[in-house]
Amino acid sequence: MKTQTKKINSRGQIGETLTWIVATIIIVVMLIFFILGSSLLSGTKNVGDTFRQSLTSAQVVQGTDLFLKKSLFTYTSIGSDTNKIILDKKLSKMADAGQFNLDYNSTKIEILTRYAKR
Amino acid sequence: MKINKKGDKLLSIYWFAILVIVATGVVIMVNVYYGSPYDVRQVESGILANHVANCIYFGGEVNPSLISSNGIFKEDFRDHFMNYCTLNFSVEGEFTQIPYYLEINFFKGIDSPTSVFNISEGNQNLKSDCGVDVQDKSKLSKCTSNSFFMKLNSNDVYFVKILAVVSKVNENTN
């Protein structure tokens, strides 16, 4: 009986030890996985036009374009109609080339409305 | 009973070891993630360009120190541009290069190809980094090129082109 009890006990111990070893290996592998993940996510983080586009896209943030607004202010204050047409064409061309951060037509309407109010 | 006590001790040591491993892992992860710098040069050059644009043309009014009433650009503005626009490019250290470059070109009319007046300040060598077509641009200076139209009281329209370059490679990259 004594020998039987000993055998059962050692089997149990081996089983339990194996469980802990496997558990340790899983923990270490997961840690390595997370460390690799964080190093992949880090790198140098560029803060600019491409920084977290989901947060800074035009759908989420209105944004601004100082240069477009300055140009449009000039457009509204020009006296000559010929110059206005030429400037409008030039600005449209620049907008088509993607030089502005805001939508050209809607910003133009906004500035014209503001200027008209004054 | 004796055997059980030994097992408990062993298990405590094991748990402590696991705790240390996990804590070390967390520390490594945080260090790896937050240890790398943020590259803010593109934003910095944009802010610099905005500042210069506001210095030249603000609220529909051209800076009176830039152009005289009869439409002549003042050399004094070019000579003391940094003071007029409250800019300071000075760096610490004797052999440290200035990490900024600014270039402003004024074109008379809406479609004129030739510049009638220009201002440049800072380290001119940085300009060569702009427009370089390479895959890894992290070690190059960041450039921002913007332009706008301004109108004088005389109804003359000028096209203003601003180029702002920020180097600071070591401070912003790994």
Side-chain angles (χ1 to χ4, degrees):
Chain A
M1 274 300 280
K2 262 188 181 178
T3 338
Q4 251 188 341
T5 323
K6 263 191 180 177
K7 263 189 181 176
I8 291 159
N9 274 344
S10 67
R11 268 187 190 174
Q13 272 185 336
I14 290 165
E16 211 167 306
T17 314
L18 271 173
T19 311
W20 286 117
I21 287 168
V22 171
T24 315
I25 289 166
I26 289 169
I27 288 167
V28 170
V29 167
M30 276 180 75
L31 260 178
I32 291 166
F33 175 76
F34 279 114
I35 289 168
L36 284 175
S38 64
S39 69
L40 271 176
L41 282 173
S42 64
T44 298
K45 296 174 271 287
N46 279 304
V47 182
D49 297 336
T50 53
F51 182 69
R52 292 189 183 172
Q53 281 187 330
S54 58
L55 290 175
T56 55
S57 73
Q59 290 169 330
V60 185
V61 181
Q62 177 58 58
T64 186
D65 193 324
L66 184 86
F67 297 91
L68 173 62
K69 286 184 177 176
K70 278 187 193 298
S71 296
L72 283 171
F73 196 82
T74 302
Y75 170 80
T76 52
S77 55
I78 288 178
S80 154
D81 282 341
T82 323
N83 273 349
K84 260 190 179 180
I85 294 163
I86 297 168
L87 185 58
D88 186 39
K89 274 186 182 172
K90 178 83 180 172
L91 289 172
S92 293
K93 239 185 207 177
M94 288 166 78
D96 290 340
Q99 290 188 23
F100 302 129
N101 295 329
L102 295 176
D103 177 61
Y104 172 64
N105 289 318
S106 57
T107 316
K108 186 179 156 188
I109 292 164
E110 186 195 323
I111 297 282
L112 285 173
T113 320
R114 262 195 224 170
Y115 192 72
K117 273 180 189 172
R118 284 178 189 177
Chain B
M1 285 296 279
K2 262 189 180 178
I3 294 161
N4 273 344
K5 266 191 179 178
K6 268 187 184 173
D8 276 355
K9 261 189 184 175
L10 209 67
L11 211 60
S12 304
I13 293 164
Y14 170 80
W15 276 120
F16 189 73
I18 290 291
L19 200 76
V20 169
I21 290 168
V22 172
T24 315
V26 170
V27 168
I28 290 169
M29 275 187 272
V30 170
N31 197 37
V32 161
Y33 189 77
Y34 289 101
S36 50
Y38 280 90
D39 191 348
V40 294
R41 290 175 296 163
Q42 196 67 59
V43 175
E44 196 177 356
S45 61
I47 291 168
L48 188 61
N50 283 4
H51 181 81
V52 172
N54 278 333
C55 170
I56 291 166
Y57 190 57
F58 188 76
E61 293 285 328
V62 181
N63 191 329
S65 313
L66 173 66
I67 298 180
S68 63
S69 52
N70 47 4
I72 294 166
F73 284 94
K74 293 176 184 174
E75 286 295 325
D76 182 58
F77 187 82
R78 186 182 359 224
D79 297 340
H80 302 102
F81 169 72
M82 301 295 276
N83 288 335
Y84 279 119
C85 289
T86 55
L87 288 166
N88 186 6
F89 287 172
S90 57
V91 283
E92 282 178 21
E94 210 173 327
F95 301 107
T96 318
Q97 287 198 327
I98 296 169
Y100 300 102
Y101 177 67
L102 261 176
E103 191 180 279
I104 307 132
N105 282 298
F106 298 85
F107 303 83
K108 193 171 183 182
I110 296 167
D111 252 335
S112 171
T114 44
S115 162
V116 289
F117 188 72
N118 74 306
I119 300 164
S120 60
E121 280 292 340
N123 186 353
Q124 207 162 2
N125 296 327
L126 302 178
K127 198 185 168 184
S128 57
D129 281 2
C130 305
V132 176
D133 196 23
V134 286
Q135 266 200 328
D136 183 23
K137 289 185 178 178
S138 60
K139 300 290 175 195
L140 295 176
S141 307
K142 297 280 179 187
C143 313
T144 295
S145 180
N146 286 110
S147 49
F148 64 94
F149 291 91
M150 67 176 193
K151 188 195 77 95
L152 306 188
N153 288 334
S154 56
N155 257 337
D156 285 337
V157 178
Y158 282 87
F159 180 58
V160 185
K161 218 172 178 180
I162 299 171
L163 174 72
V165 188
V166 177
S167 170
K168 290 187 175 177
V169 176
N170 294 333
E171 293 91 329
N172 288 273
T173 52
N174 286 316

